[in-house]
Amino acid sequence: MPLPVFLLITVATSAYAQSVKGLGVSGGNGSRGGIGDGAHPVRHAQAFITDALIPTAPNTTRQLARGPAPVLFHGDASAGCGNRMVVVDSNKPQQEMVGFGHAWTDSTVDVFDSLEPAVLDQVMQDLFGQSGNNMGFMRHTIGSSDLSGHQYSYDDNGPGFNLGEPDPGLANFGLGQDGTAMARMIARMGQYKGDVFLFGSPWSLPGWMKNNDLFIAPVIETLGGQYPLLNNSLNIKYIPQAVEYFTKYIDAFLSHGVTINGLTLQNEPLNYQGGYPCMYLDAADEATIINQGLGAALKERGILFMAYDHNTDQPVYPYRVLQGAPGMVPAVAWHCYQGPAPNYTVLNDISRLYPGTLQFMTECSNYLPGAGSVNFEVAQNFIPPVQHGASGASMWGLINRTVLATNPDFGPHSPYGGCAGCLGSIIVNSSTTYTKTNDYYMIGQFSRFVRRGATNYPVVQGNEGNALTSNQLYIMAVQNPDKSWAVIFMNNLVSDQEVVLSFTGNGGQYWQGTVPKTTVTTWLLPSEQILGQTNGTQAASMGPPYPYRNGSTTRFPTASGSVTATGFSACNVTFTSTSTTSSSSSTSVTALPVPNTTHTIATTGTA
């Protein structure tokens, strides 16, 4: 029998540590916000569940499925009774949140452009609409990446990406066919969601700006692995041209109706391998680019500079940039690829030494997940960064194509190297059919329920395990702008967890419910104002009894209103249920429909 989990939340009034006020949006007339903001308040407790088991057949597992909502009780619970105490200290509000999302790549754009108009509309609704995943934190590639069928920069200045001549005046700068297609597709995103935070990252600057004159360096293998191509790096004499390259890119996207909101100067600046676009960029050179005009240009345009953009095993890099460009580095970006596991505690160090610096987890990929396996890749790299100070997180490639691509499995991608097995949220099977992967639903457990401007609160007791242990229970708790709570659990333990969630100062008020094993589960809890009106419950027909867990145990309010539960140990605490009576106004619910996993949409003019 699983132990009850006690989650204690205290009420805070102090100032935020890191604020996202003033950050821009990419534009468009699409809807803004979502459930948890002032226009879409949480009116009753809800639970949403996604199984970590990757299904072997469609619709055989829970994927953003509504689960039994936590129930509101009053009583008295104390520590020291053998129960698990989980404490969220909301006397110490942490960072404000921006959101969660994915990355736009040339692969995504190429595949989307092959879809029938009605299908493209539906998939964009699924990704960005308020009835879909409502993703609000999106990355895009500046020029090509390993997930590009064609390789290019915005100023190759020659017949091919590796055949260019120096263009010190950037007279031949242009987005080109592929860059223009990406700008137009991102502009289309704004028709579905108008408040996306969009940031760009280059995989390499043009080849002529580098010491080896090559956009893509060769692959030279040795007995110890790939030969270190130290000349696959920025030629510092072209730093003025690098500054102009970035400003021209920002202005070019704006001409297509897309406002860039954030920028990293180099994806994985310590990666200088060959086979796909890479470029070594020393921290001192990154700081110099900022100091020699780009920092001022970004501030003038309201764009967030995000230093580093690589793994957690080299935290000295962002420190060097912060020290080298004082007052010009408002944010730091991190990736998840440190082996054997990322160490997100380095984010705490940045926050202590540079208070107010925003941080993000900007890339993580789910590599070749297999049907029938348990996969927590999204939650394992969304929750811990937030716990340690990140204001948002994005997974890598958004989409794969399984039939129409040149590469039939995970393409299009660079034929020279890079990730040939990175799974996205969407797999396109034909011009009229696509499938949402389990990653789609896992990301939705975050992006649907955490609004921009929400505040994260530290879970100071109750998390179990870490990335190096076999099992974990990760918990994050944020308070949304409507003052409701989104509490997200990753239960990779061997049993269901019976959770009792408490807000101190509220007269012994508790929310009790089940977090099933091998799931990511999100609870939405109404604000105190809503609770005063409705008790936070649904209509009586939707109230208890609920299944106690994935077994036969149930709990029922007795005639006197107290609650009894077979097998439930709470130190003989008696809870008085407030959930048997509800206001009729609580039936007004912000619906979050979840479409079927696989979609086949008829082409225009067909039945």
Side-chain angles (χ1 to χ4, degrees), residues 197-458:
F197 180 90
L198 175 72
F199 67 102
S201 302
W203 264 235
S204 175
L205 291 175
W208 57 266
M209 291 189 188
K210 298 164 67 176
N211 287 310
N212 61 358
D213 295 319
L214 297 175
F215 185 66
I216 297 180
V219 176
I220 302 176
E221 295 289 351
T222 68
L223 292 177
Q226 193 174 140
Y227 185 79
L229 303 169
L230 298 180
N231 65 347
N232 191 22
S233 56
L234 175 68
N235 186 334
I236 60 173
K237 77 177 184 179
Y238 288 117
I239 282 179
Q241 285 74 27
V243 171
E244 187 177 4
Y245 184 84
F246 285 116
T247 57
K248 281 182 173 288
Y249 139 71
I250 292 164
D251 294 341
F253 267 68
L254 187 60
S255 72
H256 289 279
V258 176
T259 300
I260 302 301
N261 312 125
L263 176 69
T264 74
L265 299 194
Q266 176 60 42
N267 170 70
E268 299 183 348
L270 300 178
N271 182 1
Y272 43 73
Q273 72 185 77
Y276 68 97
C278 294
M279 187 184 80
Y280 178 85
L281 180 65
D282 189 82
D285 297 335
E286 181 162 303
T288 299
I289 293 173
I290 292 300
N291 288 330
Q292 291 191 7
L294 185 58
L298 296 180
K299 280 190 174 183
E300 181 182 350
R301 291 166 169 81
I303 297 172
L304 185 76
F305 168 55
M306 305 157 72
Y308 191 39
D309 205 17
H310 208 165
N311 297 337
T312 57
D313 58 348
Q314 296 294 328
V316 69
Y317 188 109
Y319 281 114
R320 292 179 63 201
V321 181
L322 284 157
Q323 293 166 355
M328 305 293 283
V329 187
V332 174
W334 305 91
H335 289 190
C336 79
Y337 304 120
Q338 176 183 350
N343 175 18
Y344 292 116
T345 64
V346 297
L347 279 70
N348 296 119
D349 300 331
I350 294 286
S351 295
R352 280 192 293 267
L353 290 176
Y354 293 92
T357 301
L358 292 170
Q359 299 186 77
F360 303 92
M361 197 290 290
T362 51
E363 186 183 317
C364 194
S365 61
N366 207 347
Y367 188 79
L368 293 176
S373 65
V374 172
N375 190 286
F376 280 107
E377 191 71 24
V378 172
Q380 285 173 333
N381 291 287
F382 276 13
I383 296 179
V386 171
Q387 290 175 329
H388 293 289
S391 291
S394 61
M395 295 296 285
W396 179 214
L398 176 61
I399 188 167
N400 300 112
R401 183 165 62 174
T402 59
V403 174
L404 298 178
T406 303
N407 185 309
D409 293 322
F410 294 92
H413 61 78
S414 169
Y416 312 105
C419 186
C422 293
L423 185 70
S425 278
I426 302 291
I427 296 176
V428 169
N429 312 102
S430 72
S431 63
T432 59
T433 306
Y434 66 98
T435 299
K436 298 199 287 285
T437 69
N438 212 52
D439 275 11
Y440 170 87
Y441 298 97
M442 282 293 188
I443 290 172
Q445 292 284 155
F446 298 83
S447 60
R448 293 182 180 224
F449 308 122
V450 177
R451 297 277 65 79
R452 182 191 282 220
T455 305
N456 179 59
Y457 287 83

Side-chain angles (χ1 to χ4, degrees), residues 144 149-165 204-210 213-218 275-277 414-416:
S144 63
H150 304 98
Q151 296 300 317
Y152 67 97
S153 73
Y154 295 154
D155 193 354
D156 289 332
N157 197 36
F161 56 84
N162 269 359
L163 300 173
E165 296 294 330
S204 175
L205 291 175
W208 57 266
M209 291 189 188
K210 298 164 67 176
D213 295 319
L214 297 175
F215 185 66
I216 297 180
Y276 68 97
S414 169
Y416 312 105

Side-chain angles (χ1 to χ4, degrees), residues 66-109:
R66 285 186 180 270
V71 182
L72 182 63
F73 295 92
H74 284 86
D76 182 27
S78 60
C81 303
N83 299 313
R84 180 195 302 273
M85 297 301 296
V86 179
V87 179
V88 177
D89 184 2
S90 45
N91 283 316
K92 296 180 180 178
Q94 303 298 295
Q95 74 280 12
E96 290 184 341
M97 302 300 298
V98 176
F100 298 89
H102 246 301
W104 285 105
T105 66
D106 290 316
S107 173
T108 302
V109 175

Side-chain angles (χ1 to χ4, degrees), residues 33-43 46 134 448-454 479-486 524-525 590 592:
I35 189 168
D37 65 17
H40 311 86
V42 174
R43 297 193 178 278
Q46 303 168 65
N134 201 11
R448 293 182 180 224
F449 308 122
V450 177
R451 297 277 65 79
R452 182 191 282 220
Q479 190 170 42
N480 273 316
D482 71 336
K483 302 303 180 182
S484 67
W485 288 86
L524 301 182
L525 305 175
T590 302
L592 291 171

